[in-house]
C-alpha cells in the first residue's frame, strides 16, 4: 500500500472512532507529500587530459582550484560528485566548498552563499584511483540555471595522471594556499578546463535527467567561452521555461573527437556509455548524437575499399543497437539524432563514398522502431543547395561544427514534448 493510501485509511479509522469528520478535500490535503528525489542538474564526461591540458602540479600543490558551471534544474539540497576515474593513485583533497559564482567563469563568488562540503561528516577526502565520490547532501537553495562555483584544495600535489574534462568552454582559476572561502582568488592563473568534478545533483519534488551523449558538437566546439550557449544549454533553458518540463535536468556528456568504436581524445562511446549515461542520477532520457568522427577518420589519411566502408557502417549500426538495448533495459527512453553534414570539412575532406555512409547511417536512425524518437539535426542544418554540407548560416566556417547560431537552432529544434512525463 502506498503512502497516500495509508494516510486515507488512517483518516477513515479516525472518523470511525469518533474523530471530527473530514471532507473529501480535507482528506486529500492531509495526504503525505510526494517523496523528493535526486535529479542530475549538471555533469561532464571524464577523460585523461593531454599533457598540454593538464593542471600544472607545481601551481596547485597545496593550492586552490575554483571552477564554475551552470546548473540546469534547481532544488533545495545539492550534492557534488568528484572524480578520480582515470587516476592511478589516490586523490587527496583537504577541503571542498560550493557557492554561487557572480558569473560563468568568474573567480569571484557571493561569500554569503559559501558552504563547506563534507564526506561522511569530514571536510577532507581521499578518493581511490579509478573511483568517484559523492559529497554529503547540504542545504543549498539552487535556482534553475544558476552559476555554481566549486572550490577544491589539494592536499599535496594532484595525481600524476589527472581526471579532467578539457572541453569546458569555461574559465577555471587556481592559486596558492588555502583560498577555499575567498570571495575572489588572489594571485590566480586561469585555464579553460574542468578537473576532478563530474556531477552536481539537486533534491527536488519531482523530475528526471536527460543525458546529451555525443562528440565535440555536443561538447560545444565553436561556442563563446563562458557563454553557456552549447545546444544542450539552449535546450536546458527551454526546459526550465516550460512548467511541464522544469524538473528535467540536462547532463552534457559530450567529448571532443569522440567516436562510437575507437578511442580518440577520450574513451570511445561504447566504453563510456555505462558511466556517462546509465549511471547518471535520475536518468530517464538520452539523446545520442555520435558518428561523424567514425565516418570522417575512416578515409582522412587514405582511401578505403567499398568492403571497409560497408563494414564500418555495419559496426556503427551495431553500436547504436547496443546502446538502445542497454538503455531500454534501465527504463531509459533513447532518442537518436541524425549525423550532420560535414562535406565542407577541410579536416576530414570526405568524398562521395563517405557521404553514402552518412546517408546509410541516417536512414537506419530514421527507421521507425529503432530509436524511441528521431531528432533530425541533419535535416535542420544541411544546406538545401548542397545537402552534404552545413548551411552557411549554421557553419562555424570549418565545415564540421556549427557556430553559435547553429547551436541555437539545434537547441530550439528539440521537441519539449519528448520530456513531458
Amino acid at each position: 500500500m502506498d503512502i497516500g493510501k495509508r494516510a486515507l485509511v488512517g483518516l477513515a479509522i479516525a472518523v470511525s472512532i469518533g474523530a471530527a469528520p473530514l471532507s473529501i478535500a480535507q482528506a486529500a490535503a492531509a495526504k503525505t507529500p510526494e517523496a523528493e528525489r535526486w535529479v542530475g542538474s549538471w555533469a561532464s564526461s571524464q577523460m585523461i587530459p593531454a599533457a598540454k591540458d593538464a593542471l600544472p602540479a607545481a601551481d596547485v600543490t597545496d593550492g586552490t582550484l575554483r571552477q564554475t558551471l551552470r546548473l540546469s534544474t534547481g532544488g533545495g539540497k545539492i550534492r557534488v560528485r568528484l572524480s578520480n576515474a582515470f587516476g592511478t593513485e589516490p586523490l587527496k583533497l583537504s577541503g571542498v566548498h560550493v557557492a554561487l559564482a557572480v558569473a560563468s567563469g568568474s573567480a569571484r563568488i557571493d561569500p554569503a552563499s559559501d558552504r563547506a562540503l563534507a564526506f561522511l561528516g569530514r571536510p577532507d577526502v581521499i578518493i581511490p584511483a579509478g573511483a568517484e565520490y559523492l559529497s554529503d547532501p547540504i542545504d543549498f537553495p539552487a535556482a534553475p540555471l544558476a552559476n555554481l562555483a566549486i572550490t577544491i584544495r589539494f592536499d599535496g600535489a594532484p595525481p600524476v595522471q589527472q581526471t579532467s574534462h578539457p572541453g569546458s568552454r569555461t574559465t577555471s582559476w587556481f592559486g596558492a594556499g588555502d583560498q577555499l572561502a575567498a570571495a575572489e582568488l588572489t594571485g590566480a592563473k586561469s585555464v579553460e578546463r574542468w578537473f576532478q568534478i563530474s556531477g552536481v545533483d539537486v533534491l527536488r519534488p519531482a523530475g528526471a535527467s536527460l543525458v546529451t551523449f555525443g562528440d565535440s558538437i555536443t561538447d560545444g566546439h565553436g561556442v563563446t567561452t563562458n557563454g553557456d550557449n552549447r545546444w544542450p544549454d539552449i535546450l536546458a533553458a527551454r526546459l526550465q521555461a516550460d512548467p511541464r518540463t522544469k524538473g528535467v535536468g540536462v547532463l552534457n556528456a559530450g567529448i571532443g573527437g569522440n567516436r562510437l568504436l575507437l578511442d580518440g581524445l577520450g574513451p570511445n562511446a561504447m566504453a563510456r556509455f555505462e558511466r556517462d549515461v546509465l549511471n547518471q542520477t535520475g536518468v530517464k532520457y538520452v539523446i545520442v548524437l555520435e558518428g561523424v568522427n567514425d565516418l570522417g577518420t575512416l578515409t582522412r589519411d587514405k582511401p578505403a575499399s567499398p568492403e571497409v566502408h560497408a563494414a564500418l557502417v555495419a559496426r556503427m549500426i551495431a553500436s547504436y543497437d547496443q546502446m538502445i538495448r542497454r538503455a531500454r533495459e534501465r527504463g531509459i527512453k533513447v532518442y537518436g539524432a541524425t549525423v550532420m553534414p560535414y562535406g565542407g570539412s577541410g579536416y576530414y575532406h570526405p568524398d562521395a563514398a563517405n557521404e553514402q555512409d552518412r546517408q546509410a547511417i541516417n536512414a537506419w536512425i530514421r527507421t521507425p522502431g529503432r530509436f524511441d524518437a528521431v531528432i533530425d539535426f541533419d535535416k535542420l542544418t544541411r544546406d538545401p543547395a548542397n545537402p552534404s554540407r552545413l548551411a552557411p548560416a549554421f557553419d562555424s566556417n570549418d565545415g564540421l561544427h556549427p557556430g553559435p547560431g547553429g547551436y541555437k537552432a539545434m537547441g530550439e529544434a528539440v521537441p519539449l514534448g519528448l520530456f513531458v512525463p
Side-chain angles (χ1 to χ4, degrees), residues 367-383:
T367 301
R370 269 69 188 262
F371 286 96
D372 293 305
V374 176
I375 299 168
D376 205 338
F377 285 149
D378 168 40
K379 182 178 180 180
L380 172 73
T381 62
R382 67 193 181 205
D383 183 353

Side-chain angles (χ1 to χ4, degrees), residues 204-227:
R204 53 174 300 110
S209 303
L210 156 66
V211 180
T212 57
F213 188 67
D215 49 42
S216 57
I217 294 174
T218 297
D219 203 22
H221 181 94
V223 300
T224 309
T225 299
N226 300 321

Side-chain angles (χ1 to χ4, degrees), residues 125-416:
V125 63
I126 300 176
I127 304 175
E132 293 194 326
Y133 260 42
L134 273 175
S135 72
D136 299 344
I138 63 166
D139 291 324
F140 192 97
L145 309 179
N147 290 310
L148 187 72
I150 300 176
T151 307
I152 65 178
R153 186 170 183 226
F154 292 95
D155 182 355
V160 173
Q161 183 161 289
Q162 297 172 17
T163 297
S164 168
H165 185 83
S168 67
R169 276 86 200 184
T170 306
T171 307
S172 299
W173 301 86
F174 55 94
D178 183 355
Q179 301 190 56
L180 279 168
E184 183 170 6
L185 295 193
T186 59
K189 300 178 182 178
S190 65
V191 63
E192 289 182 21
R193 310 280 184 266
W194 283 317
F195 299 90
Q196 321 292 170
I197 55 174
S198 59
V200 178
D201 302 334
V202 299
L203 191 66
R204 53 174 300 110
S209 303
L210 156 66
V211 180
T212 57
F213 188 67
D215 49 42
S216 57
I217 294 174
T218 297
D219 203 22
H221 181 94
V223 300
T224 309
T225 299
N226 300 321
D228 294 316
N229 53 353
R230 312 162 189 85
W231 74 261
D233 298 326
I234 305 301
L235 176 57
R238 293 178 60 225
L239 289 165
Q240 291 309 301
D242 191 316
R244 303 172 303 163
T245 55
K246 64 181 181 180
V248 178
V250 177
L251 310 180
N252 190 328
I255 289 182
N258 202 225
R259 286 181 272 178
L260 290 164
L261 305 174
L262 297 173
D263 290 351
L265 298 177
N268 68 77
M270 289 299 299
R272 68 189 185 93
F273 193 71
E274 186 88 18
R275 178 178 61 247
D276 288 349
V277 177
L278 302 184
N279 288 343
Q280 294 285 4
T281 302
V283 61
K284 187 175 179 180
Y285 315 100
V286 58
I287 297 173
V288 178
L289 176 56
E290 287 268 12
V292 69
N293 293 312
D294 296 80
L295 297 171
T297 55
L298 178 67
T299 57
R300 182 185 172 215
D301 298 323
K302 60 181 180 181
S305 68
E307 292 77 17
V308 172
H309 277 277
L312 174 67
V313 170
R315 290 185 63 211
M316 289 175 64
I317 287 172
S319 180
Y320 293 131
D321 179 68
Q322 284 286 308
M323 289 190 285
I324 291 168
R325 290 162 58 188
R326 290 167 65 188
R328 284 180 176 160
E329 286 177 359
R330 302 283 189 94
I332 299 169
K333 289 191 176 294
V334 195
Y335 304 140
T338 49
V339 180
M340 295 155 59
Y342 69 107
S345 170
Y347 183 75
Y348 284 139
H349 46 81
D351 59 16
N354 297 106
E355 178 63 8
Q356 289 174 2
D357 294 345
R358 188 179 74 89
Q359 294 293 345
I361 291 294
N362 283 346
W364 190 91
I365 291 171
R366 292 185 180 111
T367 301
R370 269 69 188 262
F371 286 96
D372 293 305
V374 176
I375 299 168
D376 205 338
F377 285 149
D378 168 40
K379 182 178 180 180
L380 172 73
T381 62
R382 67 193 181 205
D383 183 353
N386 191 346
S388 68
R389 293 173 176 255
L390 288 170
F394 297 150
D395 196 344
S396 67
N397 296 320
D398 70 359
L400 176 62
H401 300 93
Y407 288 123
K408 184 174 185 292
M410 291 171 67
E412 290 177 345
V414 180
L416 297 189

